[in-house]
Amino acid sequence: MARAAKPRAAESSKSPARLEVRTAKAEDVPAILALISRAYPGFGNYSAGQILGQINNFLEGQFVAVLEGTIVGYCASSRIDEAIALAPHDWTTITGNGFGSRHDATGDWLYGTEMAVDDRQRGLRIGKRLYDARRALAERLELRGIVFGGRMPNYAKAKRKVGSPEEYLAQVQEGKLRDPVIGFQLANGFRPIGVLPAYLPFDKPSDGYAAHMMWRNPYVDPNEPVSFRVPRGVESVRLATVQLQARAVKDFAEFVRQVEYFVDVAADYRADFIVFPELFTMSLLSFETDKLTPMGAIDRMTEHRAPIVAELSRMALRYNINIVGGSHPTRTADGSVQNVAYVCLRDGSVHAQEKIHPTPNEAYWWKIKGGSSVDVIQTDIGPIGVLICYDSEFPELARRLVDEGARIIFVPFCTDNRQGYMRVRYCAQARAIENQCFVVLSGNVGNLPGVDNMDVQYAQSCILTPCDFPFARDGIAAEASENIETLTIADVNLADLTWARAEGTVRNLADRRFDLYRVDWNRGLRSGEASLEAPTTGSKNPGGG
C-alpha cells in the first residue's frame, strides 16, 4: 500500500522584528552620537569616549532602540547610592562628567543619565519602551527604584507668570501648565521629589533647573534595609610583558624572527596580551650602511611602519594573542612624526595610540610631535588603554582611560638609566592605585651602538596592581629581573577591580570630589559648561533622565 505523502512543514510567516530595544554596544557609539545631535540640536554633544565610558562602566544600564537597523533611541543609566541619588546634585557631578564613572556596583538606585529619541519616530512610543527597559532592569536587580533629573523646557517661558520652579512643577502636576518632558515622565509613573538648581546650567529653556524625579520599585519594601555585595568572581586575564634586548640585526627578517619568538612563547603559555617596549623597532637602524643624522634615522624608521604593523597583525591572528606593539615612529598626514603604539588584536583589527607628551629629548633630537587624543581600545577581554612611557607621568591621561572603562593600562617605555626608569615605575604604580586598575610595563635593556639616542637601556618590566586585600601584598603581580632579556607572565583577576572599586578599603574612583574639580578634554561637550548654547524652543523629545 502506498504511503500517504508526508505534509510539508508550513513556511514560517514570522518576519524579523522591525523595532527592538537592546543593550548598547561599543560599535553603536557613532550612531548614538548622531542620534543625540538630532534629538538635541544646539546642545553640545558627547565625545565618543563619554559614550564608551557609559557603556563600559555599566553595560546593563545602557539601552538603544533600533528601528530597521537604525538607532532611534538611547537611554543611559548608572547605579548610585541612595545618599547621593536623593541629595541635591547636578548632572556633571552625578554622571562623572558624562562618562558614567560614578557607577557604583553596590548602589541601590538606578540613576537616569541620558534619554534621547529621534523626533521623527515619535509615534512609536520609543521613549516609553526605553523607560520600560530601564524599569525592568531595576526590578531584576531588586533596586529601590529609578531617579533622575528631568528637564523643564517650558519653565523659562512661564517663569514671570509662575515664579519659582517649584510652583511651575506643581502647576504641571495639577494640569494647569503643560511641559512636554515632565508630562511624559509623569505619564510613565515618575513623581517629582524636588527641584535641582543648576542641574544643566546651559539648558536655557529650563533656566538650568531640573525636576528631581523618582519611581519606586513596588517589589522592594522602602522600609527594609538593603545591602548589595559585589560577587568575588573570576575574570582571569593572562598578561605577558617582554623585556627586550636591544641588539644589532642583519636585516628586517631577522628582527621579525626575534619578535615572533616571544609572541610564540607567550601564546604557548596561553597569554591574552603581550606587550613590547617603546621604540623596540629601533634595532632596524643597526643594518643601515649610511651614517644617518638623528632626523635622517627617524625618517628611515618611518618607512618601516607599514611592514611592522603588517607583521604584528599577522602574528596576532596566527598565534591568537593580542599584541601591544610597543611604539614606532610614524609619519602623519601633515608631514610631522609621532611616536605611535600599534595594538594588533587577535580578531585582525589594528588600533593606534599616539604618544601625547614627547620627552624633551625626543622633541630635540627627533622633532617628535605629541598626539591629541587618548582613548580606550575595545578588545575581546574588555577595554584597555596605552600610555607610552612619559605619558604615564601625567595622571589625567590614565584617569581619562579609566573613565572610559579601561581596567588594564599598558605602558611601553624606553629609559636609559635607573632614575628615568624609576620615574616611570613610581608613576605607573600611582596610576594603578589611584585608578584601581592594572598597569603593565615593558622596557628595553642592553645597548645599541651606532644608533643615536639608543646607546644604553635600563629596565625592570613589571605587572602592577592596586594596593588592597585582593591583590599582591606589595602591589606587584610579577616583575622581571633588572636588565636581562626575559618574558614575564602573570594572571590577574578583573573581578577584583570591580570589588575594590565598590567595597575596597579605599575607593579612589568613587570618592572623587566631582563637585570641586574635573578635567574637561574638549570644549562643547556635555560637561555643564555655561558657554554652551541651548535651543530656543522646548525639545519635543522626552529628554532628561
Side-chain angles (χ1 to χ4, degrees), residues 478-491:
E479 64 182 339
S481 297
E482 295 172 279
N483 291 336
I484 64 168
E485 185 172 60
T486 187
L487 183 71
T488 303
I489 300 176
D491 286 338

Side-chain angles (χ1 to χ4, degrees), residues 99-154:
F99 288 91
S101 55
R102 289 296 294 275
H103 170 68
D104 178 355
T106 63
D108 47 355
W109 286 84
L110 195 64
Y111 191 89
T113 300
E114 181 59 80
M115 169 69 79
V117 175
D118 193 327
D119 191 47
R120 297 170 298 184
Q121 309 297 338
R122 291 182 65 209
L124 297 178
R125 300 194 176 189
I126 291 168
K128 182 181 186 308
R129 294 172 192 259
L130 292 171
Y131 274 2
D132 287 346
R134 190 186 272 168
R135 186 179 287 112
L137 175 64
E139 292 175 355
R140 179 170 62 81
L141 297 177
E142 298 183 343
L143 304 181
R144 291 192 181 278
I146 302 172
V147 180
F148 55 77
R151 295 181 59 239
M152 302 191 294
N154 283 356

Side-chain angles (χ1 to χ4, degrees), residues 332-411:
T332 62
D334 64 1
S336 62
V337 177
Q338 291 185 344
N339 190 357
V340 180
Y342 292 96
V343 180
C344 299
L345 302 183
R346 50 189 168 196
D347 64 3
S349 62
V350 177
H351 304 263
Q353 175 59 64
E354 64 265 29
K355 190 173 186 177
I356 305 301
H357 302 91
T359 62
N361 217 25
E362 288 175 279
Y364 178 78
W365 288 105
W366 294 331
K367 303 298 186 289
I368 297 287
K369 302 294 184 183
S372 59
S373 68
V374 57
D375 289 289
V376 298
I377 296 168
Q378 301 294 136
T379 77
D380 59 324
I381 302 300
I384 66 164
V386 178
L387 296 177
I388 303 173
C389 197
Y390 195 30
D391 283 347
S392 67
E393 300 177 32
F394 296 83
E396 55 272 16
L397 299 183
R399 182 55 54 82
R400 158 80 169 214
L401 291 170
V402 171
D403 276 346
E404 290 188 7
R407 293 186 287 180
I408 306 171
I409 296 177
F410 294 93
V411 180

Side-chain angles (χ1 to χ4, degrees), residues 242-300:
V242 181
Q243 189 157 284
L244 190 68
Q245 174 82 36
R247 57 166 63 85
V249 293
K250 65 180 181 181
D251 55 25
F252 183 84
E254 182 180 353
F255 175 77
V256 171
R257 284 195 296 272
Q258 291 177 1
V259 172
E260 190 160 3
Y261 166 79
F262 285 104
V263 173
D264 189 6
V265 173
D268 283 346
Y269 280 102
R270 298 182 182 273
D272 296 293
F273 290 93
I274 181 171
V275 55
F276 288 89
E278 178 188 23
L279 298 174
F280 75 116
T281 56
M282 294 296 281
S283 293
L284 295 171
L285 290 175
S286 63
F287 59 80
E288 291 291 338
T289 56
D290 298 331
K291 177 62 178 176
L292 299 173
T293 65
M295 281 305 301
I298 285 298
D299 286 340
R300 188 65 54 85

Side-chain angles (χ1 to χ4, degrees), residues 320-331:
N320 190 33
I321 190 171
N322 298 306
I323 300 175
V324 180
S327 73
H328 185 82
T330 298
R331 180 78 61 188

Side-chain angles (χ1 to χ4, degrees), residues 433-507:
I433 292 169
E434 68 200 12
N435 293 295
Q436 298 178 289
C437 67
F438 298 114
V439 180
V440 186
L441 276 67
S442 173
N444 302 290
V445 297
N447 48 48
L448 201 57
V451 177
D452 289 331
N453 214 29
M454 296 292 289
D455 308 283
V456 293
Q457 313 300 321
Y458 184 102
Q460 187 176 21
S461 303
C462 54
I463 299 169
L464 305 175
T465 76
C467 292
D468 211 335
F469 289 116
F471 310 102
R473 183 178 66 175
D474 52 5
I476 304 170
E479 64 182 339
S481 297
E482 295 172 279
N483 291 336
I484 64 168
E485 185 172 60
T486 187
L487 183 71
T488 303
I489 300 176
D491 286 338
V492 297
N493 182 11
L494 298 181
D496 286 342
L497 299 178
T498 304
W499 180 88
R501 292 175 178 184
E503 301 189 53
T505 306
V506 293
R507 288 164 287 186

